[in-house]
Amino acid sequence: MALEAGTAAVRNVRTAAETPALADNRNDLRRARRDFLLALEPVRGSVYAYCRSLTPTVWDAEDLLQETLTKALAEASQRHEPILNTEAWLVRIATNTWIDSLRRSSRVALEWTDSAPELPDETAPDPLANLDVESALRQLLHLLPPRERACVVLKDVFSYSLAEIAGMLETTPGAVKSALHRGRTTLQATRSGSDLGASSSVNPGTETGAVQPAEHALLLRRLAEAFNAYDIDAMVDLFLAGGRSEVIGNVSETGHEQIRTGSMTHTFGADAAELYRATVHHFGGEDIILLWERPKETPEAPGVVADVLRVRAAHGAPLIAELKWYFFCPEVLAEVAGGLGLPFKTNGVSYF
């Protein structure tokens, strides 16, 4: 009897709604996170560019940036000492986060060494100089092991000193110099033996993606049609009962009711200040939705791309398991819409 009573008490605790105090704490945390993101805006672009240099796709780069910002907020809340170099601090967190993800996947060896034959002077010619095509640079960098890639990017793209890089990567200047030498040598050899103008010459960094099933394209078109019809019921019905909608870096919603009253009503409800039109495009090996925005009071004005959306379909059902909105991801908007040659606007980094 006592065991049953204890079990019932635990069950009640697990299913209890949040208290007013917890709700207030969540609101305080949202405001604190917003202020934190705004404070980091001056260096955000550079940190994203670094993440983009490490990762094969724009989506992976944004994921790495968001995880970096989340960890940085947690770390900042526990620090007593001041952060002397914000960009270097975020780069260190991004590097460790990226390397940890590779280590978990067991894809690479991640050892440092302090020795290398014929170590070059720090002012040696940059083997990345005269690379005119950004995609070619990314393709070459993805030939390098993680430590070497990070060192080459930090030294030859961001111009950090060996000592600064050693501090970010938690190693010695000698180890950085060794990794830099190996990375530069590999890149120089690759450049000498490859035609960088041909898209097929180097494959690891290209954004080809997996082949998407026809059902995915159909689901995306149905969602775009529902957007354009301003049919919120049709939008919600395309989701799994436990499906998720996430405005990256700001809001996540689970289940039909949260999705209906949250992102869908906010964007397509009668009180929305803007008008939106959805179009489907192919980018980076997958189909995506772009939302074009124009003011409601001047509907004849030309629209600009204001959001990028990606869908993850459910397994075995023509429904949406997850929808991601990149509205508050200015670097993603610039790369995707800009890469497609379309006019776009950015929206800052936070709702609140």
Side-chain angles (χ1 to χ4, degrees), residues 317-339:
L319 295 170
I320 298 170
E322 183 176 57
L323 175 65
K324 292 187 175 183
W325 312 64
Y326 290 84
F327 189 83
F328 292 112
C329 304
E331 296 82 13
V332 172
L333 277 161
E335 181 167 345
V336 175

Side-chain angles (χ1 to χ4, degrees), residues 251-262:
V251 172
S252 62
E253 304 150 352
T254 302
H256 284 189
E257 188 58 26
Q258 287 188 19
I259 292 171
R260 179 192 305 279
T261 59

